[in-house]
């Protein structure tokens, strides 16, 4: 099936200079015989990758049985391998997807905006049972995650800004850097205990890119949402407002 170049849609796929719109509610396939047919390469699956919306965000799923894709958000320094049967949320705005089939390598660019669907119900509750498998977090621990995800949650489909440094995140909350790092360590420890990848490097050391992994996990599970953003201003005021003012 052939698709037409996109108009003004906020989510689109780019391949060899052509842009194709992705519509919420309509699965977008990439492969040898797909919504976007990249090549008639016999080594490439007919339907290799699936881009679709679910619970208020865009997801990329590898439908293949033996091919992997490398997903990269260069402006954030994020890179991950999407193996057969795996899926991941596209939360970083502009994303590059590279994959090889036989002797040929392909690159597809995806600009992921915000699907016009309602966000999951109840994601603003701290320590509830909304998302199975997510441990209970204190309010301050959730704030440590929320402040890292703020720029992405506030975006309007035009792309994501870089995650804040630990110092900027602490200042946003009115915390000391020591307090922020301690809360972040606590969150990563809890997630590491339930098997979330990327929280620690070898030998039990904290992973250097754990903030990116943490934000990806928090958004994909509904741990934080746009509805939580007012918590950041309230926390900043609470910690920076002079007494008796």
């Amino acid at each position: 099936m052939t698709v037409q170049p996109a108009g003004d849609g906020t989510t689109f796929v780019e391949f060899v200079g052509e842009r194709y719109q992705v519509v919420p509610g309509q699965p977008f396939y990439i492969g040898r015989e797909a919504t976007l047919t990249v090549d008639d390469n016999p080594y490439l699956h007919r339907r290799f990758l699936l881009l679709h919306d679910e619970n208020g965000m865009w997801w990329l799923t590898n439908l293949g049985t033996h091919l992997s894709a490398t997903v990269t958000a260069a402006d954030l320094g994020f890179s991950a391998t999407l193996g057969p049967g795996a899926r991941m949320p596209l939360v970083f705005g502009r994303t590059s997807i590279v994959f090889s089939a036989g002797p040929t390598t392909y690159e597809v660019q995806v600009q992921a905006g915000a699907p016009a669907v309602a966000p999951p119900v109840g994601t603003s509750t701290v320590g509830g049972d909304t998302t199975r498998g997510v441990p209970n977090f204190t309010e301050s621990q959730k704030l440590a995650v929320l402040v890292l995800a703020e720029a992405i949650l506030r975006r309007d489909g035009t792309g994501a800004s870089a995650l804040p440094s630990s110092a900027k995140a602490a200042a946003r909350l009115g915390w000391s850097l020591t307090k922020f790092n301690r809360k972040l360590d606590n969150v990563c420890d809890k997630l590491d205990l339930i098997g979330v990848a990327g929280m620690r490097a070898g030998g039990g050391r904290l992973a250097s890119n754990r903030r990116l992994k943490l934000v990806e996990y928090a958004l994909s599970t509904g741990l934080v949402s746009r509805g939580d953003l007012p918590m950041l201003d309230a926390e900043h005021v609470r910690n920076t407002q002079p007494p008796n003012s």
Side-chain angles (χ1 to χ4, degrees):
M1 178 170 60
T2 303
V3 295
Q4 297 299 317
D8 297 325
T10 60
T11 297
F12 53 84
V13 173
E14 287 186 345
F15 179 64
V16 293
E18 295 290 338
R19 179 177 292 186
Y20 306 93
Q21 187 170 356
V22 183
V23 180
Q26 298 182 16
F28 189 98
Y29 297 97
I30 300 171
R32 191 171 86 242
E33 297 176 9
T35 314
L36 172 58
T37 299
V38 299
D39 198 356
D40 60 358
N41 184 345
Y43 294 98
L44 181 62
H45 297 294
R46 287 181 171 84
R47 289 184 172 183
F48 172 43
L49 299 173
L50 167 62
L51 181 63
H52 69 104
D53 59 302
E54 179 181 326
N55 290 336
M57 64 176 56
W58 291 102
W59 290 80
L60 182 69
T61 300
N62 184 340
L63 301 175
T65 58
H66 62 277
L67 299 179
S68 295
T70 299
V71 182
T72 304
D75 57 334
L76 296 177
F78 173 82
S79 182
T81 299
L82 189 69
R87 72 173 192 162
M88 67 178 297
L90 298 181
V91 298
F92 300 129
R94 189 77 172 184
T95 305
S96 173
I97 304 168
V98 178
F99 53 92
S100 296
T104 308
T105 297
Y106 307 91
E107 181 173 4
V108 175
Q109 300 285 331
V110 177
Q111 172 68 42
V117 296
V121 176
T123 55
S124 61
T125 301
V126 178
D129 296 323
T130 303
T131 304
R132 181 169 296 180
V134 177
N136 291 331
F137 292 105
T138 65
E139 181 174 337
S140 59
Q141 289 170 349
K142 181 172 180 177
L143 283 166
V145 179
L146 182 61
V147 72
L148 293 177
E150 181 181 15
I152 295 175
L153 288 170
R154 290 193 187 280
R155 68 182 174 86
D156 58 5
T158 59
S161 301
L163 272 66
S165 65
S166 294
K168 288 184 178 179
R172 174 73 174 94
L173 295 166
W175 293 358
S176 67
L177 180 59
T178 300
K179 177 178 179 178
F180 175 78
N181 285 333
R182 184 175 68 252
K183 298 298 181 181
L184 190 62
D185 289 347
N186 292 338
V187 171
C188 291
D189 285 342
K190 286 186 175 183
L191 294 179
D192 181 64
L193 286 174
I194 65 171
V196 177
M199 297 298 103
R200 290 191 175 277
R205 294 179 293 105
L206 294 171
S208 60
N209 64 340
R210 60 178 178 154
R211 292 186 304 149
L212 286 171
K213 296 289 188 180
L214 178 57
V215 169
E216 177 187 326
Y217 176 84
L219 293 174
S220 66
T221 59
L223 174 60
V224 295
S225 69
R226 287 190 179 186
D228 297 322
L229 289 173
M231 295 172 60
L232 296 175
D233 289 331
E235 182 69 10
H236 181 81
V237 169
R238 180 162 51 245
N239 292 309
T240 58
Q241 183 173 300
N244 302 320
S245 61

